[in-house]
Amino acid sequence: MRKKKICMVGDFSVGKTSITQKFVNNVFSEKYLTTIGVKIDTATVGEDKLIVWDVAGRDSLSPINASYLVGASGVILVADGSRSSTVGGLLEIWQTVTNRIGSVPVVVALNKADLDGWQIDDHSRALLDQQGWDVFATSAKDGKNVEAVFKKLVEIMNCKES
Amino acid sequence: MLEANLQQRINAQLLDKLQLAYICVDSSMTVVEVSDNLSSYGYNDIVIGANVEECVDFMFGFDAQTQLDLPMVQSPSGITISVSLLPSDRLLTVLISNASNQADQRQLLQQKANENELLVERQEKLLTQLEQASEQLESKNEQLEEASRLQTSFLSGVSHEFRTPLTSIIGYTNLVEQSLQCPTDKTGSDIQQKADHLRAVQRSSRHLLSLVENLLDHGKLDSDEIMLRPKTTNLVELFQDVELLLKPLSDAKHIELTINLDIDDSTIVVIDDSRLRQCLINLLGNAVKFTDHGSVSLTADLSGDFLSIKVADTGPGISDEDLQKIRLPFWQAADTGKAGTGLGLTITERIIELMGGELEVSSVLSEGTQVSFQIPAPMLMDQECAKVLNSKQSLADMTVLLAEDDHDIAALMVVMMAERGVHLTHVENGALALEAMQSTTFDFVLMDIHMPVMTGYETLAALQQANNSTPVVIMSASTVEAGRMKAESLGCYDYLIKPVDVDDVIEIMNHVALDKDADHTC
Ligand SMILES: Nc1nc2c(ncn2[C@@H]2O[C@H](COP(=O)(O)OP(=O)(O)OP(=O)(O)O)[C@@H](O)[C@H]2O)c(=O)[nH]1
Ligand SMILES: [Mg+2]
């Protein structure tokens, strides 16, 4: 089995832990417990074993610790579609990623698609379009597109390898 | 030997005390040495000779040269650890220390900070929402105030519009009644005068009717209830009709009303004639109302199945600013001093839109206003025209049944139809109509909806059940589209709105006769 390290990155409270837990253990909790440092889980997608690094989000106290990214072959950028600032924040976070490990395969999860206030304004859409990223509207709560995000990333990573 | 052993034990105790563990790997990432206490962090199956990338998740992706600090990694035991990768010549040492105290502190701090920030974000969002809502409320309020102002001026406009024709109706009927009470002279001039008075009454009544139609239509504008009912129509007759209706108004104001038609007398088109008439009356009526000197003209021509119409007046004109507003319901220029409902143009525009056209208004202040539109009006082929025109045959031998509970309306119908050579049998409700239809075969039935004993709907249903296909034309006072649909679903031949124009009835009878002929020939 091929092993791959991937990282979940994004602003705090966007749902990195929730998406990972939904994908790995099929559970979801409404309660917010912020991730300290990093939590590592594993999951299988087809022929590939993923080592998923659920990295603490960027917040007012600290930026993302780029050391956690070393050795990753792909990242999932997560933003909260009901907080447009977290979508805008992806650019800076992507900068952190590329500075440390280069332009690795990436997909974007615009999370919390189940919420009423979920909305991508024109500015954010233009920004995402401009980057040419694969973007998914996900919901860790109802499971929407959670699997798809991981599968897409694996697909891109494998494509890059071969 | 003993010393080495002692040294080892001391080392182990020291490591335990400092809660430090380690793994040493060689350049191929193969484990060469581990501390005994690794299992306290949940790393149980790390054996010498194994590949560290396979047995320690956090080590995957690194090589022996990697120098890195990984603070606060959750270990399999649940204890948070800090990891340092320390490469040396031939070995990579992975130093693991307990960071749970640090993690707990951090957890408290970060949780609070993040929750606070979320709260602030939510507050800001709510605040902008609140601001937006209050802005919306303000503009809504302004709209409401404007609407209420328009409504008030509308109401006074309506009452004025109604008062004028009603005053004239009451006045003229009084005159006629008085002259009937004291029949002094029966000279020609007296009769002529009475006829004039009655014509004035008729004019005012028609004017009232078109007012009521506009009011009712306005209610339907929003609900998309206005429907078109195109039928074969002689355009020239329609324009003559409109001219006759408006001539008295323009004559009274001493302005010239001209209708220029570039259309053949015998041209028959398919169009909703009553809606077109309504539009023309509204447009010409407006033009006449606002023009105090000069003329009002209507120009119409038909080409390529399109009817183009232009209404021009020499009135005061409309300012550019007001041109933006004239299409709003109830809107009226403030300083004209002309009363009205302000609905005519709104309704006309909507109807023309429904007909597939667009109303264009252009105006020059103190020179006049031009209103024009173009709508599809498919022409009938020559032989089809001939058929329609020739069908005005004698209807005298048709047997017609009238079911109507209002005696005044029934009596009027009987007299007016008799003038056109048609004899009516009158019954007072649906049950009696069914009875009459059992003993006699009628060619045609005219029926009211609201009748005692048995309504028009019930009668239609009974006829449908009995497979009786006698054409039934409904006369209803309700302009609600649902009534028409119900009657049509029950198989009525046509649906007329009261007050019914006898000429419409005659036209439908012509169609019935035509259909009958067609049935016989094929
Ligand atoms: N409605 C809804 N809530 C979600 C969804 N995903 C996450 N949440 C909630 O959002 C909050 C934050 O989720 P986490 O998964 O802890 O976010 P995170 O990105 O891991 O946050 P940090 O670890 O602090 O960086 C929690 O209260 C979740 O229940 C979602 O798809 N829908
Ligand atoms: Mg988290």
Side-chain angles (χ1 to χ4, degrees):
Chain A
M1 216 174 216
R2 294 169 298 194
K3 269 191 177 181
K4 289 187 177 74
K5 169 176 173 178
I6 67 167
C7 291
M8 311 290 294
V9 286
D11 274 325
F12 73 95
S13 193
V14 293
K16 298 177 294 297
T17 304
S18 301
I19 292 178
T20 310
Q21 288 312 308
K22 183 73 189 174
F23 183 61
V24 175
N25 298 316
N26 196 24
V27 291
F28 173 78
S29 159
E30 291 280 354
K31 194 170 152 38
Y32 175 41
L33 189 69
T34 182
T35 305
I36 301 300
V38 67
K39 183 166 185 314
I40 301 165
D41 270 291
T42 55
T44 311
V45 175
E47 292 289 296
D48 297 281
K49 184 166 178 193
L50 295 183
I51 300 171
V52 186
W53 287 50
D54 173 17
V55 177
R58 188 182 64 155
D59 61 26
S60 50
L61 298 179
S62 48
I64 284 175
N65 186 338
S67 305
Y68 298 136
L69 303 171
V70 176
S73 12
V75 299
I76 296 181
L77 293 175
V78 187
D80 178 345
S82 65
R83 284 158 63 210
S84 62
S85 64
T86 67
V87 184
L90 290 183
L91 268 194
E92 224 177 283
I93 291 168
W94 178 238
Q95 193 71 48
T96 308
V97 172
T98 50
N99 280 349
R100 184 74 205 226
I101 59 172
S103 184
V104 292
V106 57
V107 288
V108 175
L110 294 181
N111 194 35
K112 312 201 187 180
D114 56 282
L115 289 181
D116 280 345
W118 195 96
Q119 191 197 5
I120 302 304
D121 56 45
D122 292 345
H123 177 75
S124 305
R125 187 160 295 284
L127 183 152
L128 295 171
D129 284 348
Q130 205 181 7
Q131 293 295 326
W133 289 326
D134 283 291
V135 180
F136 290 81
T138 61
S139 166
K141 188 171 181 176
D142 63 26
K144 180 183 170 185
N145 274 336
V146 167
E147 241 184 78
V149 170
F150 287 91
K151 280 193 170 153
K152 185 72 195 181
L153 182 62
V154 168
E155 190 189 310
I156 303 175
M157 290 188 299
N158 285 339
C159 200
K160 195 181 170 186
E161 266 171 29
S162 59
Chain B
M1 194 65 197
L2 189 102
E3 263 185 19
N5 219 337
L6 188 68
Q7 185 65 42
Q8 238 173 19
R9 274 176 43 204
I10 292 172
N11 279 353
Q13 277 199 359
L14 243 165
L15 287 178
D16 275 350
K17 195 139 192 108
L18 293 172
Q19 294 184 303
L20 276 175
Y22 66 85
I23 310 168
C24 285
V25 298
D26 65 12
S27 58
S28 63
M29 300 298 271
T30 306
V31 179
V32 291
E33 196 184 332
V34 294
S35 61
D36 295 337
N37 56 355
L38 263 178
S39 59
S40 59
Y41 295 120
Y43 299 106
N44 297 315
D45 25 62
I46 307 174
V47 290
I48 309 290
N51 184 323
V52 76
E53 288 190 85
E54 294 303 323
C55 50
V56 183
D57 280 338
F58 70 73
M59 284 303 292
F60 180 82
F62 301 139
D63 56 35
Q65 277 78 51
T66 315
Q67 177 169 13
L68 205 65
D69 276 328
L70 298 172
M72 292 187 280
V73 179
Q74 281 190 36
S75 71
S77 65
I79 299 171
T80 307
I81 54 176
S82 278
V83 178
S84 295
L85 305 189
L86 306 166
S88 63
D89 274 357
R90 282 163 295 111
L91 291 180
L92 173 70
T93 308
V94 182
L95 207 58
I96 297 172
S97 63
N98 188 331
S100 52
N101 282 341
Q102 197 190 346
D104 288 350
Q105 274 175 15
R106 176 81 194 184
Q107 172 81 51
L108 278 176
L109 213 72
Q110 188 173 312
Q111 185 80 31
K112 235 190 194 105
N114 289 359
E115 277 172 2
N116 265 342
E117 186 140 348
L118 284 176
L119 258 173
V120 171
E121 272 182 31
R122 194 165 311 153
Q123 256 172 8
E124 277 170 4
K125 205 167 173 178
L126 277 175
L127 233 112
T128 38
Q129 275 173 357
L130 221 84
E131 270 165 19
Q132 275 169 1
S134 111
E135 264 169 37
Q136 273 171 4
L137 236 117
E138 221 161 89
S139 92
K140 190 116 236 159
N141 211 1
E142 271 167 28
Q143 279 172 12
L144 277 174
E145 269 168 24
E146 172 76 357
S148 123
R149 197 185 61 72
L150 289 172
Q151 287 268 14
T152 314
S153 83
F154 166 69
L155 275 180
S156 66
V158 168
S159 62
H160 180 93
E161 288 261 305
F162 274 71
R163 204 172 285 272
T164 318
L166 279 172
T167 310
S168 124
I169 290 171
I170 294 168
Y172 282 117
T173 45
N174 268 343
L175 280 181
V176 175
E177 193 186 23
Q178 275 165 19
S179 70
L180 286 176
Q181 274 167 0
C182 45
T184 43
D185 69 322
K186 279 270 169 288
T187 58
S189 78
D190 181 50
I191 290 175
Q192 178 63 42
Q193 210 176 26
K194 272 197 207 118
D196 282 349
H197 292 167
L198 284 177
R199 262 194 290 278
V201 170
Q202 213 165 37
R203 245 182 356 246
S204 299
S205 311
R206 285 206 187 210
H207 180 58
L208 263 181
L209 184 61
S210 76
L211 259 172
V212 170
E213 273 169 0
N214 277 351
L215 278 175
L216 288 175
D217 279 350
H218 176 253
K220 297 179 186 168
L221 278 181
D222 296 331
S223 54
D224 278 339
E225 253 208 67
I226 296 185
M227 274 201 196
L228 294 181
R229 315 216 157 255
K231 60 182 189 202
T232 54
T233 304
N234 182 317
L235 273 182
V236 174
E237 281 179 11
L238 186 145
F239 283 111
Q240 282 169 349
D241 229 31
V242 173
E243 184 177 13
L244 279 179
L245 207 78
L246 284 151
K247 196 88 183 146
L249 287 179
S250 58
D251 284 353
K253 293 186 75 178
H254 303 293
I255 54 178
E256 197 186 345
L257 174 68
T258 50
I259 308 255
N260 312 308
L261 298 184
D262 191 9
I263 297 171
D264 202 76
D265 275 357
S266 58
T267 306
I268 306 281
V269 297
V270 179
I271 207 162
D272 186 332
D273 65 324
S274 71
R275 288 303 185 186
L276 179 58
R277 193 181 320 226
Q278 188 183 1
C279 292
L280 295 178
I281 291 173
N282 280 338
L283 293 179
L284 284 171
N286 260 347
V288 170
K289 184 155 94 182
F290 290 105
T291 304
D292 293 328
H293 311 283
S295 64
V296 169
S297 70
L298 181 150
T299 315
D301 77 88
L302 185 68
S303 68
D305 282 347
F306 276 93
L307 175 64
S308 306
I309 290 181
K310 187 170 83 187
V311 174
D313 67 46
T314 59
I318 307 167
S319 71
D320 282 349
E321 190 189 335
D322 283 352
L323 263 182
Q324 317 280 325
K325 302 189 202 150
I326 49 171
R327 291 176 159 93
L328 296 173
F330 307 131
W331 186 86
Q332 298 174 53
D335 51 357
T336 58
K338 316 270 179 184
T341 60
L343 284 179
L345 202 64
T346 318
I347 290 160
T348 303
E349 183 173 38
R350 179 89 179 98
I351 293 174
I352 288 171
E353 221 170 73
L354 275 177
M355 287 178 149
E358 194 185 337
L359 192 68
E360 280 171 34
V361 186
S362 63
S363 187
V364 178
L365 267 181
S366 58
E367 278 184 27
T369 304
Q370 280 196 7
V371 181
S372 59
F373 62 92
Q374 196 185 43
I375 48 174
M379 265 189 278
L380 288 195
M381 308 299 278
D382 277 354
Q383 64 259 50
E384 289 172 314
C385 285
K387 217 155 123 194
V388 174
L389 289 171
N390 290 340
S391 71
K392 308 224 184 280
Q393 68 211 69
S394 159
L395 300 169
D397 49 349
M398 277 180 97
T399 51
V400 182
L401 178 66
L402 170 69
E404 166 66 78
D405 61 323
D406 186 307
H407 281 275
D408 288 341
I409 291 184
L412 194 65
M413 238 16 228
V414 169
V415 173
M416 298 216 283
M417 294 294 278
E419 276 180 358
R420 286 158 177 79
V422 180
H423 174 71
L424 290 185
T425 307
H426 172 222
V427 292
E428 281 156 13
N429 62 51
L432 293 174
L434 286 182
E435 210 176 289
M437 289 170 82
Q438 259 161 15
S439 52
T440 319
T441 311
F442 288 96
D443 294 315
F444 186 70
V445 181
L446 272 170
M447 186 151 62
D448 183 27
I449 288 284
H450 296 287
M451 294 183 291
V453 188
M454 191 174 205
T455 68
Y457 293 135
E458 288 164 348
T459 317
L460 279 174
L463 287 173
Q464 205 174 37
Q465 190 132 45
N467 272 335
N468 187 323
S469 59
T470 311
V472 178
V473 171
I474 292 296
M475 307 180 293
S476 167
S478 158
T479 60
V480 180
E481 201 56 39
R484 180 192 292 271
M485 300 220 266
K486 182 167 179 189
E488 280 174 357
S489 75
L490 289 169
C492 84
Y493 187 84
D494 212 331
Y495 189 95
L496 296 172
I497 306 285
K498 286 179 177 179
V500 167
D501 189 333
V502 191
D503 288 329
D504 284 345
V505 178
I506 297 291
E507 191 172 328
I508 296 171
M509 286 176 67
N510 273 318
H511 275 280
V512 171
L514 258 179
D515 285 353
K516 227 166 85 176
D517 283 355
D519 281 351
H520 284 313
T521 45
C522 46

